[in-house]
Amino acid sequence: MKHALIVVLSILLLAGSAACQSAHGTATVQIDAAKLNTLKVELRAKGQELIGESDEVKRAKLATDLARADAAGAMEFLLAVLSVDPSARVRLVIIDNLGRLSNPRVREALERHTATDPDVGVARLALERLRGQRSLEMRELLRRRIDLARTKGDDAGLRLLYAEDERWTSLVRGTMLPAFMRVPPAVFSLKPEDKPIRVLAFGDYGTGTPAQKKVAATMLGYHKTSSFDFAITLGDNFYSLGMESPTDPRWKTWWDDLYNPLGIKFYATMGNHDWGYPDSPAAEILYAVQSPSWRMPAPYYTFTAGPVQFFALDTNEVSEAQLIWLKAELDKSRSRWKLVYGHHPIYSAGQHGDNAGLIARLLPVLKGRADVYLAGHDHDMQHLKPEGDLQFFVSGGGGAGIRPIKPGPRSLFAKSSYGFSVLEASATELRITFIDADSAKLYEYTLHKSEAGR
């Protein structure tokens, strides 16, 4: 086969029943063997397997594996498959994975499938990927204009351009979030600074699964014996695409029924899954109007409680405006402890690993200013080595499927477990405790400050 000038792809179209699947017909297509040879040598066996696979589910997985291994290197081969594969499932995963590549050949394929693909779902995804690419190009022009204003020291111009960049944050991500809804409110207070606090923290939970319900029940049980003052969420509040509207029926079953019984307020941040539906970010912000427990004043905001100032971030898109706001708020804070929380970890030994973008842009703002950075995203519980006085924690076991974790060089604690975190703060101590879904204590770490340092 590898010496043939033409590689024949014979695909068996299957129609399923509850008990079995039976073939209703076959389709034979041809791919130039040269396309297979565009793959790296180590990927050609997988490409050959895809060509010979008749099951569309397996073929879609093989296409995904190739794209994840080397999207740019697999581009020509996958575009050839895309042009002839009769399975909408296969075309969908190829467009999903290649559609983020800024390449004229990919752009041409997206345009063609938007206009002519027989499957509406494939056409819609092609259009979305095309919209994202063109929006990024226009935003890049804006970023270049920002760089020019920065070089010239044009502070008045920068303020206007940063506001425009906030609007483009939504446009690039395809969400319907007005720019004014991205403006953080003034700092507010939940409890006097001389009072100790106990806070619940968790992320990666909104699935409606038994695991989420069990963790929520354990939170309630803990609260009945050691009450929380309030809670914070670390994003991925609702899988897999967020909420469609403030009246989405999942609000009741995935939020109200599980967390309202605690009788406290939850100050939420958004994860990548909360940015799925175009209206999801706005829905999550607006739901606070009708909820006794859910709070999200803006995608990023700050508040004080006892001796701690909390800084909630939107790490899906750390805009220049958000970074400038965060630095200014950290610099003027007089709170004893400064805790920053968001969805994506800066450092992690979990599935997603370290985040180079946050290391480059967010970490310099936090170092020397904040005491703790707390995140989710990786579905596990972690404590990682600090940078100076800045501690890093991950608490992503709120209910979505947990993932294996292997401790890395920065790991002080790493465990694949469902659970949540308890933050307890006084003027001299800030303690973070990991609790699992069975109420067992997994780990505890305490930061100290002397009274003299106040």
Side-chain angles (χ1 to χ4, degrees):
M1 179 76 71
K2 65 181 179 181
H3 298 296
L5 294 177
I6 300 296
V7 179
V8 178
L9 172 57
S10 298
I11 301 171
L12 184 64
L13 299 178
L14 302 179
S17 68
C20 64
Q21 290 187 329
S22 60
H24 280 249
T26 60
T28 300
V29 295
Q30 295 180 332
I31 297 177
D32 191 323
K35 298 298 184 183
L36 182 64
N37 291 333
T38 62
L39 293 170
K40 292 179 179 178
V41 172
E42 61 269 25
L43 297 179
R44 287 177 192 170
K46 193 174 287 292
Q48 189 71 64
E49 186 181 355
L50 186 154
I51 287 172
E53 180 56 63
S54 60
D55 183 282
E56 66 172 7
V57 175
K58 294 178 181 179
R59 204 160 65 254
K61 183 181 185 305
L62 288 165
T64 300
D65 291 344
L66 280 170
R68 289 179 177 175
D70 183 3
M75 183 188 73
E76 288 295 340
F77 174 75
L78 290 176
L79 285 176
V81 176
L82 176 65
S83 67
V84 296
D85 201 306
S87 167
R89 182 193 297 268
V90 176
R91 298 197 304 277
L92 196 74
V93 299
I94 293 175
I95 285 174
D96 186 34
N97 285 283
L98 292 188
R100 296 177 175 86
L101 293 178
S102 181
N103 181 282
R105 297 266 292 126
V106 172
R107 183 78 58 84
E108 179 185 347
L110 293 175
E111 292 174 351
R112 182 172 63 254
H113 283 272
T114 296
T116 65
D117 197 282
D119 185 90
V120 172
V122 174
R124 290 180 65 193
L125 181 60
L127 179 62
E128 174 59 20
R129 291 289 175 265
L130 194 61
R131 183 208 59 75
Q133 286 206 24
R134 289 176 174 169
S135 296
L136 281 170
E137 288 178 354
M138 288 184 279
R139 191 185 199 182
E140 180 57 28
L141 292 175
L142 173 60
R143 291 285 173 85
R144 287 162 57 185
R145 188 63 185 84
I146 288 173
D147 288 343
L148 177 61
R150 190 183 291 118
T151 300
K152 291 183 175 181
D154 182 4
D155 293 340
L158 279 172
R159 284 193 294 271
L160 294 173
L161 290 168
Y162 287 150
E164 187 68 16
D165 189 52
E166 286 288 83
R167 185 169 75 92
W168 276 89
T169 294
S170 294
L171 293 174
V172 167
R173 300 188 70 89
T175 58
M176 305 299 177
L177 185 65
F180 67 81
M181 292 183 73
R182 292 189 59 84
V183 178
V187 60
F188 55 94
S189 179
L190 303 182
K191 196 172 183 179
E193 64 177 336
D194 60 343
K195 302 295 182 182
I197 59 171
R198 181 180 292 114
V199 183
L200 167 65
F202 62 105
D204 305 270
Y205 58 94
T207 58
T209 60
Q212 182 192 5
K213 294 173 183 177
K214 182 177 181 179
V215 174
T218 303
M219 292 174 185
L220 180 58
Y222 191 102
H223 178 60
K224 288 179 178 178
T225 59
S226 302
S227 62
F228 299 113
D229 293 291
F230 61 94
I232 61 177
T233 84
L234 307 173
D236 280 1
N237 306 307
F238 306 105
Y239 288 82
S240 60
L241 299 171
M243 285 293 186
E244 292 194 77
S245 74
T247 58
D248 192 309
R250 291 174 299 148
W251 279 109
K252 180 181 186 307
T253 54
W254 290 14
W255 180 262
D256 296 349
D257 293 348
L258 301 182
Y259 305 110
N260 282 357
L262 277 78
I264 60 175
K265 292 180 173 60
F266 294 72
Y267 291 85
T269 58
M270 284 187 279
N272 50 294
H273 285 277
D274 300 298
W275 278 83
Y277 290 122
D279 294 333
S280 181
E284 293 194 24
I285 292 172
L286 293 173
Y287 191 67
V289 175
Q290 62 202 71
S291 172
S293 60
W294 177 267
R295 295 293 181 269
M296 186 185 284
Y300 55 93
Y301 57 98
T302 183
F303 59 94
T304 63
V308 184
Q309 184 161 351
F310 293 82
F311 302 82
L313 300 186
D314 176 13
T315 59
N316 293 285
E317 185 74 32
V318 184
S319 65
E320 289 296 324
Q322 183 175 186
L323 284 175
I324 291 170
W325 166 87
L326 177 61
K327 181 179 181 295
E329 293 296 328
L330 283 167
D331 285 343
K332 69 185 181 184
S333 173
R334 296 297 174 261
S335 291
R336 183 72 166 152
W337 302 98
K338 300 175 184 65
L339 188 148
V340 181
Y341 66 102
H343 183 61
H344 298 84
I346 293 175
Y347 295 115
S348 175
Q351 182 186 62
H352 295 97
D354 297 343
N355 188 308
L358 294 184
I359 291 171
R361 300 182 68 240
L362 178 59
L363 183 58
V365 175
L366 299 183
K367 285 179 66 175
R369 296 184 175 90
D371 299 288
V372 171
Y373 180 69
L374 176 61
H377 197 44
D378 276 323
H379 299 182
D380 48 47
M381 313 291 275
Q382 299 183 59
H383 180 201
L384 299 111
K385 288 181 182 178
E387 287 265 357
D389 294 329
L390 176 63
Q391 300 284 338
F392 303 94
F393 296 90
V394 175
S395 183
I402 55 175
R403 300 164 179 155
I405 184 171
K406 181 180 180 180
R410 298 192 68 94
S411 297
L412 300 175
F413 175 83
K415 186 175 180 62
S416 176
S417 175
Y418 289 111
F420 55 91
S421 297
V422 179
L423 316 176
E424 297 171 283
S426 66
T428 57
E429 292 186 347
L430 173 60
R431 180 179 297 112
I432 298 183
T433 307
F434 293 156
I435 305 295
D436 74 10
D438 295 314
S439 300
K441 182 188 292 186
L442 297 175
Y443 179 75
E444 183 177 282
Y445 185 83
T446 304
L447 289 74
H448 299 275
K449 287 186 179 181
S450 65
E451 286 283 352
R454 298 191 68 182

